Amino acid sequence: MKLLDGKAVSARLMEEMAREVETLSVKPCLAVVLVGDDPASRVYVNNKKKGCEKLGIRSLEYTMPKETTQAQLLELIDALNEDKNVHGILVQLPLPKHLDEKTVIRAIRPEKDVDAFHPVNVGKIMIGDFDFLPCTPAGIMELIAESGTDLTGKECVVIGRSNIVGKPMAMLLLHKNATVTICHSKTRDLKEVTRRADVLVAAVGIPNFVTADMVRPGAVVIDVGINRLDDGKLTGDVDFEAVSPIASAITPVPGGVGPMTIAMLMRNTITAAKKQNQ
Ligand code: NDP
């Protein structure tokens, strides 16, 4: 079994990107907007800022109180859209309940939408003609490449159909000529489907959801889940102990998909800066 070490792959990509940033005439700049005081969101924002620091990317943090109104948030996004020195805008999700995520995402100019959540960018991904790839699925594609798997003709099963992970993940696998099945909470006989997978991606959000009997021996298993247990420990969606002996390659949690997501955000920010200064 090969451990797909996202931390190591991410570190390698970050070094390459740091060298690229040095050669750019304009220093890329990422604006990160955090509304409220969700502790997990705080951690994610800090990690994104640390990623920027490592690469010599400028990061601007805008922390807004949880009572922020939709109008106030849209006003900030507008200002960042207009600011020529800001190349990427990221609004950390989830937003407090009274704010409308869809409207907020649509307010970000597509060329600055480094999360690739704007409908224009989602559409571009669908037709295979894109500027940015969504960070988590893009990071997973790098890890699958690292496993040495040629996806052409392979059976790939994605558990989860969210707009940020499951759906774009399926699309990227399809672009690489895999045969893709997307499963969700209404899927009948999930195990029967997942056992067909040469590559199984779990993005469910339930600890140890994927058990050994759901995995085909020799499969590549990608665990997207980040679940915090009562004792504070982080765990994925895959029962790592039981599944790792039968998988040909598997990602750990933590240290698998998570660090890759940050690296891909950095890549998108560099791409945005380059495109806006052509
Ligand atoms: P969502 O909650 O948006 O989606 C979860 C998906 O799992 C849904 O499509 C849901 O189906 C499906 N699901 C739930 N229960 C079952 C079940 N019993 N059988 C089959 N499918 C089921 O989550 P996200 O996609 O946003 O995130 C998934 C996980 O990945 C979370 O743990 C999250 O923290 C993590 N994550 C990690 C990232 C990283 O960088 N490593 C980045 C983003 C997310 P239905 O649609 O029918 O409800």
Side-chain angles (χ1 to χ4, degrees), residues 44 117 135-137 140 158-167 182-187 190 202-207 209 214 223-228 235-237 253 256-262:
Y44 295 141
F117 293 163
C135 303
T136 301
I140 293 170
V158 180
I159 319 177
R161 56 172 162 179
S162 71
N163 289 331
I164 61 171
V165 188
K167 282 187 211 162
I182 309 178
C183 300
H184 46 78
S185 67
K186 308 289 187 293
T187 297
L190 182 66
V204 188
I206 302 176
F209 180 81
M214 295 167 74
D223 191 350
V224 188
I226 304 181
N227 308 297
R228 199 168 284 280
T235 188
D237 289 346
V253 178
V257 175
M260 295 302 296
T261 298
I262 306 277

Side-chain angles (χ1 to χ4, degrees), residues 9-153:
V9 178
S10 157
R12 194 182 73 218
L13 294 174
M14 297 279 276
E15 269 174 35
E16 286 168 19
M17 285 189 274
R19 282 198 291 276
E20 185 183 359
V21 170
E22 275 179 21
T23 67
L24 299 177
S25 52
V26 173
K27 194 172 179 165
C29 173
L30 174 68
V32 182
V33 181
L34 174 62
V35 187
D37 47 16
D38 176 57
S41 292
R42 179 76 261 169
V43 172
Y44 295 141
V45 166
N46 287 348
N47 288 341
K48 288 166 188 176
K49 279 168 58 187
K50 271 189 221 153
C52 288
E53 269 165 38
K54 274 191 202 148
L55 264 63
I57 291 177
R58 202 155 73 92
S59 72
L60 304 173
E61 183 185 320
Y62 295 86
T63 313
M64 306 179 90
K66 60 176 183 299
E67 305 76 27
T68 300
T69 64
Q70 178 100 347
Q72 286 167 327
L73 180 55
L74 293 179
E75 198 180 320
L76 172 64
I77 292 172
D78 248 12
L80 295 171
N81 279 337
E82 292 303 325
D83 188 340
K84 287 200 163 45
N85 296 316
V86 170
H87 308 109
I89 304 171
L90 182 148
V91 178
Q92 184 64 46
L93 302 178
L95 289 170
K97 293 247 170 334
H98 66 282
L99 298 171
D100 177 19
E101 279 182 5
K102 267 194 203 162
T103 307
V104 171
I105 289 169
R106 275 165 209 240
I108 300 170
R109 243 183 230 161
E111 59 267 33
K112 295 194 176 188
D113 168 40
V114 284
D115 258 338
F117 293 163
H118 190 288
V120 165
N121 287 324
V122 174
K124 285 181 161 191
I125 291 156
M126 186 89 171
I127 59 175
D129 173 22
F130 40 76
D131 304 312
F132 307 119
L133 288 178
C135 303
T136 301
I140 293 170
M141 294 305 283
E142 295 279 346
L143 288 175
I144 293 174
E146 191 70 19
S147 74
T149 307
D150 174 6
L151 287 167
T152 301

